[in-house]
Amino acid sequence: MRRGLLVLLGVALAGYLVDLGGSSIWDANEAFYVETPREMLQRGDFISPTFHYQPRLNKPVLSYWIVAGFYKVFGVSVGVQRFPVALGAVTMIIAALLLAYAAGNLEAGLWGATGLAVAPGLVIFGRRIFIDIYISMFMAMTLTFFALAERYPSRRRLFLLLMYACVGLGVLTKGPVAAAL
């Protein structure tokens, strides 16, 4: 049973990473999140985001930095633009698996992770450029690290530090501090 669930989960996860560049940018929101990091790299300014070289200060800068980092390493393309978001979705699925594992039920984790992996909403958001995936990912990781800290007291400090880092990064992707940036 577990082996079958692992195979099913693997197939579902592959769907997030295959052919990310197969369709062009067609949504206005996607355009904001791909052009702004490209302009950051071109201008060498990672503090003041712009869109069509006009200030774009209404969104948190961390999401732009993530995409800009991938641009820097892999070059600018539609597939590279969508890859960090797909990784965010995959991280959420892995967090679901680890959360059930921390509760002592690996099989429930496999079922939960597989169910989340095939959820239509996550598949859609995980294959397009929507920065909301980052706040969801950091929240899932926060909960997972908290559960792991409770499950493994000998590593509690490490898991709590990771949990607090995820809280902070989550705030920088969507919170009031990010809005002020």
Side-chain angles (χ1 to χ4, degrees), residues 2-12:
R2 285 185 183 174
R3 184 172 290 153
L5 282 172
L6 276 171
V7 169
L8 184 60
L9 180 58
V11 169

Side-chain angles (χ1 to χ4, degrees), residues 34 37-38 41 66-84:
V34 301
R38 189 195 67 74
L41 278 176
I66 292 169
V67 175
F70 277 83
Y71 283 172
K72 185 78 170 164
V73 173
F74 300 107
V76 177
S77 73
V78 175
V80 170
Q81 294 157 354
R82 291 185 176 137
F83 188 67

Side-chain angles (χ1 to χ4, degrees), residues 52-99:
H52 291 304
Y53 303 99
Q54 299 299 313
R56 178 156 171 82
L57 304 173
N58 62 337
K59 293 294 182 182
V61 74
L62 180 60
S63 57
Y64 299 137
W65 288 346
I66 292 169
V67 175
F70 277 83
Y71 283 172
K72 185 78 170 164
V73 173
F74 300 107
V76 177
S77 73
V78 175
V80 170
Q81 294 157 354
R82 291 185 176 137
F83 188 67
V85 173
L87 283 181
V90 168
T91 301
M92 285 175 29
I93 295 162
I94 292 169
L97 176 65
L98 289 174
L99 190 57

Side-chain angles (χ1 to χ4, degrees), residues 66-152:
I66 292 169
V67 175
F70 277 83
Y71 283 172
K72 185 78 170 164
V73 173
F74 300 107
V76 177
S77 73
V78 175
V80 170
Q81 294 157 354
R82 291 185 176 137
F83 188 67
V85 173
L87 283 181
V90 168
T91 301
M92 285 175 29
I93 295 162
I94 292 169
L97 176 65
L98 289 174
L99 190 57
Y101 176 75
N105 194 338
L106 179 61
E107 191 167 318
L110 287 169
W111 279 108
T114 302
L116 183 58
V118 298
L122 187 60
V123 172
I124 290 168
F125 285 119
R127 292 190 50 84
R128 296 191 50 218
I129 304 163
F130 287 111
I131 63 169
D132 296 333
I133 205 89
Y134 298 127
I135 184 69
S136 300
M137 175 193 73
F138 286 124
M139 289 182 74
M141 291 171 58
T142 297
L143 181 59
T144 301
F145 286 131
F146 176 75
L148 289 169
E150 292 299 309
R151 173 81 170 167
Y152 300 103

